[in-house]
Amino acid sequence: MSHSVLVKFVGGLVCLSVFSGCAFVDQDLELKYQAAGYVSGADGTVVLGEPQAPELMAKEDKLIIGTVKNTYGMKTADAVTDDSIPDWIAGAMASELEAAGFTVQRSDVASPQGQQVVVTRIIKVWVEQDPGFWTVGAITDLQLRIMLLRAGQTIKEFDVDSRGQGDRGLFGDDDVKEKSLRAALGVCLQKATPIIAETFSSKPVTIKPLPAADNKDKS
Amino acid sequence: MIRHLLILFVLAAGCFAGVGCSQYEFNDPTSARVTMIHDQSADPPPAPAQTPKTLP
């Protein structure tokens, strides 16, 4: 082996070890949700206000909602989305409430008029890459404040703090982060939907005992 | 003898590290917590104003 070949070989090995697992390109995430049906047997009409979104940094018309890291835990890029976060949350809430049995009217204002109203404020939504020893995952922090109003009066107000991890993989690609976001929203609505249903339904509701992160593997 | 012990020690440490890492990685943090701030739904409706009774 000549000297120049040896230098190239060693140089390649050094580059491989230094840059292995690095992702320098932003990951564009798609915000999706599929209703799990945590509650059934509810009745009545619920007006769903447009959730108020937190202040997030923007990057080329996309919102930054998380980080991409290398195997050493250093941030190398951003996780961004051009989907609407309020739309994602409201759509998921509406689908769970409809699955519960409510007639849902979505409003485009934060605090709409109505007999039974749900007002939501998104306090935090953030997905962080979780580089492990063997696999790469993502953990989402999602915090919502939900207010339930009857005839204009706030009758219940509560916070739901949830953390979600989807399936881990060999690479921390966008799919891992999307599953993590869905898992966090799924477990959040698993807690919130029964409270809303028990408050607004005139009939007793049935709460289904489902596994925690039912939205992990659904695409 | 000492060499064998050293090899055994390194193997055992590797096993412990592997098991520890896998437990850490597969410990699913998915969970949610509800904090109730305000709950008036269980309160009884306000009682109607009592009218003063007049004695005969």
Side-chain angles (χ1 to χ4, degrees):
Chain A
M1 190 181 283
S2 71
H3 181 72
S4 64
V5 174
L6 189 67
V7 167
K8 282 177 187 168
F9 181 70
V10 172
L13 276 181
V14 168
C15 284
L16 265 178
S17 61
V18 169
F19 295 111
S20 64
C22 291
F24 296 104
V25 181
D26 287 346
Q27 290 180 350
D28 199 347
L29 307 184
E30 209 177 326
L31 302 178
K32 292 182 282 190
Y33 186 82
Q34 187 174 340
Y38 297 118
V39 179
S40 61
D43 69 340
T45 302
V46 171
V47 182
L48 204 57
E50 177 82 351
Q52 295 166 276
E55 292 287 328
L56 288 169
M57 297 279 283
K59 194 178 190 180
E60 294 168 3
D61 297 336
K62 293 179 180 181
L63 292 173
I64 301 172
I65 58 166
T67 57
V68 178
K69 293 177 178 175
N70 64 12
T71 47
Y72 309 109
M74 290 163 59
K75 183 195 160 197
T76 53
D78 294 309
V80 297
T81 186
D82 54 2
D83 289 346
S84 160
I85 295 168
D87 233 25
W88 176 55
I89 303 278
M93 287 180 92
S95 65
E96 290 295 355
L97 291 172
E98 278 168 356
F102 287 109
T103 303
V104 179
Q105 295 171 356
R106 278 184 64 179
S107 170
D108 54 1
V109 295
S111 300
Q113 300 292 316
Q115 185 60 28
Q116 300 188 131
V117 177
V118 179
V119 174
T120 308
R121 189 155 68 88
I122 307 161
I123 299 168
K124 185 179 181 184
V125 54
W126 192 255
V127 57
E128 191 89 15
Q129 188 153 320
D130 180 34
F133 193 79
W134 309 106
T135 56
V136 181
I139 297 174
T140 296
D141 264 329
L142 177 67
Q143 295 175 21
L144 302 182
R145 174 161 295 177
I146 299 174
M147 279 173 280
L148 308 181
L149 291 86
R150 183 174 286 137
Q153 294 291 314
T154 305
I155 54 170
K156 208 169 265 190
E157 183 176 358
F158 57 97
D159 284 349
V160 190
D161 299 347
S162 63
R163 281 161 70 81
Q165 174 177 266
D167 293 337
R168 300 179 70 94
L170 284 178
F171 309 102
D173 54 7
D174 49 358
D175 191 46
V176 168
K177 292 185 182 62
E178 288 172 359
K179 283 178 178 170
S180 159
L181 283 157
R182 284 201 296 278
L185 184 54
V187 77
C188 177
L189 293 180
Q190 189 181 19
K191 293 279 185 183
T193 313
I195 297 173
I196 300 170
E198 283 173 341
T199 306
F200 284 154
S201 177
S202 61
K203 294 193 297 185
V205 295
T206 308
I207 299 162
K208 293 179 188 171
L210 292 178
D214 202 56
N215 258 274
K216 263 185 181 180
D217 303 324
K218 291 177 181 174
S219 54
Chain B
M1 181 67 184
I2 292 172
R3 187 183 296 174
H4 284 102
L5 282 174
L6 270 174
I7 292 169
L8 272 176
F9 177 77
V10 169
L11 282 174
C15 286
F16 278 117
V19 170
C21 287
S22 61
Q23 280 184 345
Y24 168 73
E25 288 194 24
F26 297 108
N27 180 22
D28 190 347
T30 300
S31 61
R33 190 182 69 240
V34 172
T35 309
M36 193 61 70
I37 298 167
H38 172 75
D39 186 0
Q40 272 192 338
S41 60
D43 291 353
Q50 287 185 343
T51 49
K53 288 178 182 173
T54 50
L55 292 171

